[in-house]
Amino acid sequence: MERKSHSANQRTSGSVVGRLNQYVADFLHSHIPSGASVLVAFSGGLDSRVLLDILLSQKRSSDFTLRAMHVHHGLSPNADAWAAFCQDVCQDASIPFELARVHVPLDSGIGIEAAARHARYTALIGDGADYIALAHHQDDQAETLLLQLFRGAGVKGLAAMAPVDIKRRLLRPLLGISRAELEAYAKERKLKWIEDESNLDEHYDRNYCRHTILPVLEERFPAVKEALARSAVHLAETAGLLDALAALDAAQYLVGNGKQLQLSGLKTLSNARARNALRWWFTSQGLPLPSANRLQEMLHQLLDAKPDAVLKLIVDSENGIWLKRYQGLAYLERGDDIQPLAMTWQGERELHLPDGSRLLFEEVLGAGLATRKLGMHKLRISHRVGGERFKPDAVRPTRTLKHLLQEAHIPPWQRERLPLVYADDTLVAVPNIGVSADCQAHGNEIGLVITWHD
């Protein structure tokens, strides 16, 4: 998606109120459908105060609903006063208002800024609105790019903030507008706003960048903020191209609903393209991106470790997602904690298991478990305990379930979580493996096909 950077020099005539309203109107026309609900993240500061005012103006001539949310972090002695200010503004303008109180842990290990941001986004995204409007502007974008550069970020990080984040439903209508223009708008509209005292605390990296680094750069390069924001546009385009290349590289090697990746395919790629494909795979599964060094180590172990080596690398510690390898495939799996399983099926189409996986039950003619013929109205669902024997093929002898699972190339960690289906104490079906030979539906008999979705 193309981003455009608009500087004050490009808008030199007419009322700043009219210009910014037209800019946001064009943005909304391009990105939200008729009838959409828009939630404004309203801190009460200059940026969000201007955004709320513009959206209220646009609402009078556009078909969308508008609400506001103030996230109360509880970090400032002025937090209650800010919440009251925001509520009063919305009440005066007849804008539905919600106050969300969040807890920001001071010992999270990621810093107060990041912890507060995480809590704030969780509250906003959890609201359910079609879109969440954020008041980030051009100066914020320049600061973000610089901070990412200082952290050694890659192309995706240097692309900074997107004007539209489809996955999280975020809109940033002011991203091409400078803070100076927002202040001019507020003064022309005689708006009032709050000042967060923490914005002056240069202990925080962003404030140091804003108050110390960028002013020095502007003395020599007056248009540095606009230039940095423009660079972020170029880097976002490059990141998009890298994602498109990774999708092409990885698509032909994805199996199992995208949760497994054939390593033979990665081996055919250059190291840089293989890393790019692996990074894209993680992102496509909603996982956080590892550092460049960590990503390289993961790729090295996937491709170069001995075939019989046990590979288990953490990808998402918060949600317990691990990278594993088995018989030429890379897997993204939950942790090894196996939840006890003791459930009963009584005709449901779907059972949700304690570990988050699902059992689906579908009646099919001439296949599956002959529940009707055998009078099975209840089935017991449980895990393996060891020593099970099973005969899914009438012309072959009964075999141990362990050997059948090995033959089916089911990874060891999945075997332990595999739900087994019993009629009383008789093992009658093993999802994704088969049905006991003497319990199978044939011909015109109605059968129950049971599949496990991990």
Side-chain angles (χ1 to χ4, degrees):
M1 187 176 297
E2 183 181 2
R3 303 190 208 174
K4 294 182 179 179
S5 175
H6 293 252
S7 70
N9 292 333
Q10 293 172 294
R11 297 187 293 268
T12 55
S13 62
S15 162
V16 67
V17 171
R19 295 198 306 272
L20 266 60
N21 265 282
Q22 186 59 54
Y23 180 83
V24 173
D26 293 342
F27 180 95
L28 296 176
H29 179 73
S30 299
H31 298 300
I32 70 170
S34 176
S37 60
V38 178
L39 177 71
V40 179
F42 186 35
S43 69
L46 169 68
D47 313 336
S48 63
R49 183 67 188 91
V50 170
L51 177 60
L52 186 69
D53 191 72
I54 294 176
L55 290 178
L56 180 61
S57 175
Q58 293 302 314
K59 182 179 177 297
R60 298 188 181 104
S61 58
S62 302
D63 182 20
F64 66 90
T65 61
L66 182 65
R67 294 185 295 115
M69 176 187 286
H70 176 80
V71 179
H72 189 305
H73 300 90
L75 297 175
S76 169
N78 299 311
D80 290 338
W82 298 341
F85 169 82
C86 292
Q87 186 170 11
D88 289 344
V89 168
C90 291
Q91 185 174 340
D92 290 344
S94 299
I95 299 172
F97 173 80
E98 180 180 350
L99 175 62
R101 295 180 181 273
V102 299
H103 170 68
V104 180
L106 303 182
D107 56 353
S108 64
I110 60 174
I112 294 178
E113 284 180 294
R117 182 168 56 249
H118 176 76
R120 181 166 61 252
Y121 276 74
T122 299
L124 291 165
I125 293 172
D127 173 82
D130 294 329
Y131 298 97
I132 301 148
L134 306 175
H136 295 121
H137 49 74
Q138 188 179 84
D139 295 39
D140 295 324
Q141 185 78 313
E143 293 162 9
T144 299
L145 188 149
L146 275 182
L147 290 169
Q148 292 286 55
L149 186 64
F150 298 154
R151 293 165 185 157
V155 171
K156 190 176 291 290
L158 293 174
M161 296 178 287
V164 178
D165 183 335
I166 296 175
K167 184 176 181 180
R168 297 190 293 172
R169 316 186 318 278
L170 304 179
L171 302 176
R172 296 183 174 94
L174 304 179
L175 205 56
I177 307 295
S178 71
R179 190 183 190 282
E181 291 177 282
L182 298 182
E183 191 166 351
Y185 177 103
K187 289 179 179 178
E188 187 171 327
R189 288 279 293 148
K190 296 181 171 57
L191 300 178
K192 294 181 180 179
W193 64 89
I194 64 168
E195 295 287 356
D196 183 345
E197 73 279 355
S198 70
N199 287 334
L200 299 176
D201 185 353
E202 295 192 23
H203 170 76
Y204 298 116
D205 292 342
R206 181 173 291 275
N207 290 340
Y208 180 74
C209 186
R210 177 181 303 161
H211 299 300
T212 299
I213 296 178
L214 277 170
V216 172
L217 292 175
E218 284 183 299
E219 288 180 5
R220 184 65 177 255
F221 308 101
V224 64
K225 292 176 183 176
E226 182 186 351
L228 288 170
R230 189 166 58 248
S231 292
V233 173
H234 300 324
L235 288 160
E237 184 178 87
T238 301
L241 292 173
L242 286 173
D243 280 346
L245 175 63
L248 290 173
D249 283 342
Q252 56 188 320
Y253 305 118
L254 292 174
V255 294
N257 295 324
K259 290 189 175 181
Q260 290 103 51
L261 184 63
Q262 292 179 348
L263 297 179
S264 59
L266 281 185
K267 286 185 177 180
T268 66
L269 302 174
S270 68
N271 187 271
R273 285 178 67 170
R275 285 199 314 273
N276 188 46
L278 192 60
R279 185 187 298 111
W280 174 88
W281 183 42
F282 291 160
T283 301
S284 72
Q285 297 299 310
L287 298 173
L289 290 178
S291 67
N293 289 339
R294 178 71 170 163
L295 188 71
Q296 180 61 52
E297 178 60 23
M298 288 176 172
L299 182 64
H300 169 67
Q301 295 208 34
L302 284 173
L303 301 184
D304 300 330
K306 294 180 179 179
D308 59 348
V310 176
L311 179 63
K312 180 182 174 184
L313 302 170
I314 189 67
V315 178
D316 184 353
S317 57
E318 183 175 346
N319 295 299
I321 305 298
W322 296 80
L323 176 65
K324 300 182 180 182
R325 184 189 68 174
Y326 181 70
Q327 294 190 350
L329 289 176
Y331 291 77
L332 291 170
E333 293 285 333
R334 297 183 189 89
D336 295 332
D337 292 336
I338 300 175
Q339 302 292 323
L341 180 60
M343 300 182 71
T344 301
W345 173 83
Q346 300 183 79
E348 299 91 340
R349 290 184 176 273
E350 182 175 340
L351 284 180
H352 290 265
L353 307 187
D355 63 1
S357 63
R358 298 175 298 146
L359 274 180
L360 301 186
F361 302 82
E362 180 183 6
E363 287 192 337
V364 177
L365 188 66
L369 182 62
T371 51
R372 292 191 182 183
K373 182 180 74 172
L374 299 174
M376 298 176 181
H377 304 295
K378 290 184 179 182
L379 297 171
R380 181 168 61 87
I381 315 296
S382 67
H383 284 145
R384 294 175 61 199
V385 295
E388 296 89 354
R389 298 180 66 81
F390 192 55
K391 184 178 180 178
D393 190 337
V395 300
R396 299 189 66 182
T398 301
R399 306 174 64 196
T400 66
L401 181 57
K402 177 181 178 180
H403 288 147
L404 291 170
L405 296 177
Q406 289 174 341
E407 268 189 7
H409 306 294
I410 295 180
W413 60 87
Q414 287 188 358
R415 299 173 204 165
E416 302 304 317
R417 297 175 50 238
L418 180 67
L420 306 183
V421 182
Y422 290 85
D424 296 323
D425 292 326
T426 302
L427 180 59
V428 293
V430 180
N432 305 350
I433 296 295
V435 174
S436 180
D438 55 359
C439 297
Q440 295 173 3
H442 300 284
N444 292 323
E445 297 171 350
I446 296 294
L448 191 67
V449 174
I450 306 171
T451 54
W452 181 44
H453 295 260
D454 189 12

